[in-house]
Amino acid sequence: MLDDVFRPRAARLVTGTMAVVVAAATVLLIALLSGTGVEGWSTADLAGIALVGAAIVWFLWRQATVSATPTAEGLRVRNLATTRTVAWGEIVWVRFGEGRPWVQLDLDDGDTLAVMGVQRSDGERARREAKRLSTLVAVRQRTGRDD
């Protein structure tokens, strides 16, 4: 339970649904435009529509798959644009104060790292997940001397 993957629920539901709708709408649009027989819609135009639809679906898929995965070595954080693994000892603080859209990690080098796998849009569940992440960091940072 403590080592379960952190994933948002509301964002996954919304972006997953939107990805399906955009994919279906793109296919339908291409089918309708290519079947009309109207001059002016070239293969390049239809390919452009397909590429835009694919880019939107990719972006939505990436948003739907944000997560934070605990491993023995550290926390692998998959955000919208990047994936980064931080060692447990690098994490100084877990923050999820009011006004923050997702959990933020303060790192020992002075940097911060957003953890989009825990999002405020999940309400009380997000607060529980932030506490679980904070507990997990504390447990993983304990040494044999407990210092």
Side-chain angles (χ1 to χ4, degrees), residues 45-79:
D45 294 329
L46 298 176
I49 291 170
L51 285 174
V52 169
I56 293 169
V57 168
W58 175 85
F59 177 83
L60 292 168
W61 168 79
R62 186 68 189 194
Q63 175 63 41
T65 59
V66 297
S67 64
T69 306
T71 66
E73 297 78 33
L75 186 67
R76 185 172 43 90
V77 178
R78 178 186 171 122
N79 285 333

Side-chain angles (χ1 to χ4, degrees), residues 12-29:
R12 284 175 56 197
L13 177 66
V14 170
T15 55
T17 302
M18 287 176 58
V20 170
V21 168
V22 169
T26 300
V27 169
L28 181 63
L29 181 62

Side-chain angles (χ1 to χ4, degrees), residues 56-122:
I56 293 169
V57 168
W58 175 85
F59 177 83
L60 292 168
W61 168 79
R62 186 68 189 194
Q63 175 63 41
T65 59
V66 297
S67 64
T69 306
T71 66
E73 297 78 33
L75 186 67
R76 185 172 43 90
V77 178
R78 178 186 171 122
N79 285 333
L80 189 59
T82 62
T83 300
R84 178 178 174 188
T85 300
V86 292
W88 295 112
E90 292 179 65
I91 302 171
V92 176
W93 197 256
V94 178
R95 291 191 288 159
F96 194 48
E98 291 303 317
R100 293 185 192 282
W102 39 74
V103 164
Q104 196 169 29
L105 302 177
D106 290 336
L107 305 178
D108 63 355
D109 63 359
D111 199 9
T112 59
L113 177 63
V115 180
M116 295 176 73
V118 180
Q119 298 187 6
R120 183 154 311 279
S121 62
D122 286 336

